[in-house]
Amino acid sequence: MTTTPTDDFVDPRGDLRWGTTSTLLTEAANRLGDTEAIVDGDVRITYAELETAVTEAAAAFLAAGLERGDRVAVWSPNTARWIVAALGLQRAGGVLVPLNTRFQGNEAAYILDKSQARILCVIDEFLGRDYPASLEEAIGGAGEGRPYAALPGLEKVVVLFGQAGRHTSWDDFVASGSSVTEETVRVRAAEISPDDLSDMLFTSGTTGNPKGAMCTHAQTLRAYAVWAAVVGLREGDRYLVVNPFFHGFGYKAGWLASLIVGATILPERTLDVPHVLKVVREERVTVLPGTPTLYQTMLEHPDFSSDGVSGLRLAVTGAANVPPSILERIKEELGFSHIVTGYGLTESCAIVSMCRYDDPPEIITSTAGRPLPGLEVVTVDAKGLPTPTGVEGEILVRGYTVMKGYFGDEEETAATVDSDGWLHTGDIGVIDENGRIRITDRIKDMFIVGGFNAYPAEIEKILDSHPSVAQSAVIGVPDERMGEVGAAFVVARRGATLDADELIAWARRNMANYKVPRRVHVVDALPVNAAGKVLKNDLRARPGA
Ligand code: ATP
Ligand code: MG
C-alpha cells in the first residue's frame, strides 16, 4: 500500500523559505523581540536577548577557528545554555552533534571520534563520569602538539557548567569571541546555505553501532514547521520540554519547533514530577510532550491535583503504545484537550507520520497517524513489491525528511537510502485504508519458522499478558528442522515465580504453533540501551540462547 499526502500541503511558515536556524532566530527576534524565548528556572531570555547571546557564542566559535561544516558536540542536560551553544555553533557554520546524557565516557568518545568533532561543549559532571571509563581518560592527556591525545580531532573542550579544570569555561570561551566583530559573524551566517548540514544525530544503536544521520537546515526547518502545524503548536504557547535535547523529540520537535512558531520554551533537566507540576502551574504551561509513563507518573504522584493545570492543551507522545485508559485520564484529570502520537526514526529527521490535532482517541491509541504532508510512505514485501492495504511490509519513506546519509559511512548509506531516494526504515508495519500507519515490528527482529514469518513484538505482547510475566523479549535462533525457532527471555513479576516449561505449555494454548518459543530463559532483567530499548543483539550473542 502506498500513501501519498491526502491533506493539502501546508506550508505554514512559507516566509521562512527554509533558511537556516540562524536566519530563523534573527527573523523571530525582529518579530517577537520582548517575548520570552526561554524560561529556565530563574533564567528568562527574550527573543532579542537570545539573538544577542547566540551572536556572541558564534563569535567565540569563529575565534576558535570553526569552519563551515565542522562538527561540534554538545553533551548536557536540557538547559538554556544548550540552546545558545547549539544555535551559536550553527550560526558559525558548524554542525551540531548532540550526545546522549546517559552515555558513559567511552560511548561519548566513540561518537566524538566517529563524527570527528573539533569542539565539545559539556558539563563537568559528564567529563568525569567514571564508569566504565571517564571521558577525561577516554580523550587522553595532552599529546605532542594536541590537547587530547586519544582523540586527535578534538581541539577544545568547553565546560558549560561547573569546574573547567584544564579545559575552557563557558564564560572564558564567550569572552574569547570579543576579538571577532558582529560583522564577521554576520558575514559567516550569510554564507551558510539552507542546504548545509545543521546537525548529525546518532541513532540509538538498537540494531548495531550508532550511526550519524546527516540533516540540512532546510530539511529540519521544513519538517518541523509542518510538524508544528499538524500537531497544533502555535505562537504564544508555553512549551515544557522534558524530552532530552539530544534526541529529535527534545531538539527538533522541542526547542526548534518552539522557535519556528514563536512559542516560549521551558527546558526540564531531569524527570522530576513535583517540579514539572510546579512549573506547569507557575508558568502556565500549555504544551507538554512526553512518554505515556510521564503522564501516568504525574497522575499517580501524591502531590497531584487538577488545580492550576487548566492551561494544559496539547500532549504529544510517541514510540510506546498508549493504553486507552491512560488517554482518558490524561484528558479528564490533566485537562489536555488534544493528544497526538507519531512515528519516526533518526534517519528521517525523527519524523514520518503524526496524528492530526483533531484525531479521535481510537486513532491515537491504535495508529501512529498519517505521513506528514509532502512525504511518501509505502509498505513492501521481501521482493520490494508494494503490499496491499492492511498487509504487513517494510516501511519505505521518500521526501524532505530523509537524511543526506550516514556520516563517513557510504556503504551503510547505500544500503539504507536507495537510488530512487527511498529510505528503507527496517520497520515492519501496515497502512490502513485511510493512509494511517501502524508499526508492528522490526525486520531485523523478524524470524522465519518453517516458512512462516514470526513477529517478536506480537509474541511478546501475548507473553506479557501471562499473569506472572513482567516483561519479555523474543528472538529467532537457528533450528535444524525448522530453520529458525523462537527463544524467549522473560522477567517474572515481583513476587511471582515462572517455570519455563509451564510458560511454553501456556504459550501453546495462546498462540499459533509456529509462534510458540521453543526455549524460555527466565532472567532477572533484560539488557536495554540508553533509550530504554531492549538490545536483542545482546540476547542473540548469549551462549545457548
Ligand atoms: P539503530 O538504528 O541504531 O539500531 P534505533 O532504530 O533504535 O537504533 P532510533 O532512530 O532512535 O534508533 O529509533 C527509531 C525506531 O524506533 C524506529 O525505526 C522504530 O523501530 C521505533 N519507533 C519509533 N516510533 C515508533 C512507534 N510509534 N511505534 C513503534 N515503534 C516506533
Ligand atoms: Mg534504526
Side-chain angles (χ1 to χ4, degrees):
M1 161 92 192
T2 309
T3 173
T4 37
T6 43
D7 348 36
D8 292 331
F9 178 66
V10 230
D11 186 352
R13 292 295 316 280
D15 53 320
L16 283 178
R17 293 184 209 293
W18 322 123
T20 65
T21 59
S22 176
T23 57
L24 166 77
L25 174 60
T26 304
E27 186 258 3
N30 290 338
R31 196 162 51 91
L32 302 161
D34 290 337
T35 305
E36 282 173 343
I38 311 175
V39 175
D40 179 9
D42 295 337
V43 179
R44 306 182 91 91
I45 304 176
T46 66
Y47 271 91
E49 288 163 349
L50 183 60
E51 168 75 4
T52 306
V54 166
T55 295
E56 284 170 7
F61 284 108
L62 290 180
L66 198 76
E67 299 288 346
R68 252 173 96 184
D70 283 346
R71 273 77 56 205
V72 177
V74 177
W75 195 20
S76 156
N78 296 359
T79 63
R81 201 165 277 176
W82 204 115
I83 301 172
V84 173
L87 287 168
L89 74 91
Q90 287 174 332
R91 179 162 284 178
V95 180
L96 169 66
V97 182
L99 300 182
N100 190 316
T101 50
R102 282 181 59 181
F103 277 162
Q104 296 295 346
N106 55 333
E107 294 167 297
Y110 175 87
I111 289 177
L112 288 171
D113 181 44
K114 185 94 187 168
S115 64
Q116 294 289 301
R118 284 182 67 182
I119 302 176
L120 164 68
C121 299
V122 62
I123 62 167
D124 65 345
E125 184 195 327
F126 290 174
L127 256 179
R129 279 202 173 172
D130 54 3
Y131 180 83
S134 83
L135 184 65
E136 278 282 13
E137 231 168 87
I139 60 185
E144 187 84 15
R146 50 177 203 242
Y148 305 106
L151 282 180
L154 186 66
E155 292 166 14
K156 197 184 248 321
V157 173
V158 179
V159 179
L160 293 172
F161 294 99
Q163 296 298 317
R166 71 180 172 119
H167 313 289
T168 311
S169 73
W170 174 256
D171 289 342
D172 287 347
F173 179 64
V174 173
S176 73
S178 60
S179 59
V180 173
T181 64
E182 258 183 60
E183 181 54 22
T184 307
V185 176
R186 249 196 304 277
V187 169
R188 170 61 64 86
E191 278 169 14
I192 310 166
S193 153
D195 295 324
D196 281 359
L197 298 184
S198 53
D199 49 71
M200 202 186 286
L201 267 56
F202 278 73
T203 62
S204 51
T206 308
T207 59
N209 282 328
K211 299 174 287 279
M214 298 184 285
C215 200
T216 68
H217 287 271
Q219 284 186 288
T220 309
L221 293 185
R222 180 172 174 194
Y224 284 90
V226 174
W227 178 88
V230 161
V231 303
L233 180 72
R234 55 197 188 214
E235 186 173 325
D237 265 325
R238 299 181 67 82
Y239 187 177
L240 187 93
V241 184
V242 189
N243 291 327
F245 285 177
F246 62 79
H247 194 281
F249 292 157
Y251 159 32
K252 299 188 183 190
W255 61 260
L256 192 66
S258 183
L259 281 189
I260 291 173
V261 300
T264 302
I265 201 87
L266 298 107
E268 275 290 304
R269 276 156 224 242
T270 51
L271 183 46
D272 171 355
V273 168
H275 190 256
V276 168
L277 284 168
K278 182 170 176 276
V279 178
V280 165
R281 290 191 177 110
E282 288 177 3
E283 295 291 339
R284 302 176 319 283
V285 169
T286 58
V287 182
L288 173 56
T291 57
T293 321
L294 167 72
Y295 304 116
Q296 199 166 359
T297 326
M298 283 173 72
L299 286 166
E300 279 160 12
H301 199 274
D303 287 358
F304 179 75
S305 83
S306 298
D307 295 344
V309 301
S310 61
L312 291 174
R313 183 183 88 253
L314 174 64
V316 186
T317 188
N321 276 335
V322 193
S325 57
I326 295 288
L327 200 73
E328 211 44 52
R329 293 189 62 198
I330 294 176
K331 282 201 164 176
E332 289 294 314
E333 294 167 50
L334 285 173
F336 285 100
S337 48
H338 294 87
I339 306 169
V340 291
T341 53
Y343 158 68
L345 63 167
T346 309
E347 292 85 343
S348 70
C349 283
I351 182 75
V352 172
S353 69
M354 226 34 234
C355 291
R356 301 306 192 255
Y357 192 61
D358 46 6
D359 275 341
E362 59 275 16
I363 300 282
I364 291 154
T365 54
S366 63
T367 82
R370 279 178 283 146
L372 283 199
L375 286 188
E376 292 173 273
V377 179
V378 53
T379 48
V380 298
D381 63 20
K383 293 196 187 75
L385 300 171
T387 61
T389 301
V391 175
E392 275 170 333
E394 182 182 10
I395 296 179
L396 310 191
V397 183
R398 184 162 69 178
Y400 57 93
T401 65
V402 172
M403 66 166 180
K404 294 299 169 199
Y406 294 122
F407 181 72
D409 216 332
E410 278 167 34
E411 228 168 89
E412 282 273 5
T413 301
T416 308
V417 184
D418 68 25
S419 52
D420 292 326
W422 289 102
L423 167 68
H424 294 242
T425 63
D427 290 316
I428 301 171
V430 293
I431 301 173
D432 70 16
E433 61 280 3
N434 297 310
R436 293 200 171 90
I437 296 176
R438 190 159 51 82
I439 307 303
T440 53
D441 220 318
R442 290 181 174 227
I443 289 192
K444 286 206 167 148
D445 293 343
M446 194 195 81
F447 54 97
I448 303 174
V449 185
F452 290 98
N453 289 356
Y455 298 102
E458 187 195 2
I459 303 170
E460 289 156 6
K461 215 165 164 186
I462 303 176
L463 290 176
D464 291 351
S465 74
H466 185 284
S468 302
V469 173
Q471 207 191 352
S472 64
V474 173
I475 56 169
V477 294
D479 180 79
E480 264 178 34
R481 211 162 53 87
M482 307 301 282
E484 279 178 300
V485 292
F489 292 78
V490 291
V491 180
R493 273 179 197 260
R494 208 178 306 153
T497 47
L498 265 178
D499 176 71
D501 292 333
E502 190 274 329
L503 189 62
I504 293 173
W506 179 89
R508 285 198 193 288
R509 297 193 298 277
N510 286 279
M511 59 184 82
N513 186 45
Y514 69 91
K515 296 180 193 169
V516 174
R518 298 304 194 269
R519 286 177 229 160
V520 167
H521 307 277
V522 181
V523 293
D524 291 339
L526 295 172
V528 292
N529 72 5
K533 294 183 189 174
V534 174
L535 293 165
K536 297 212 165 170
N537 282 343
D538 263 33
L539 296 175
R540 288 187 196 101
R542 291 190 183 178

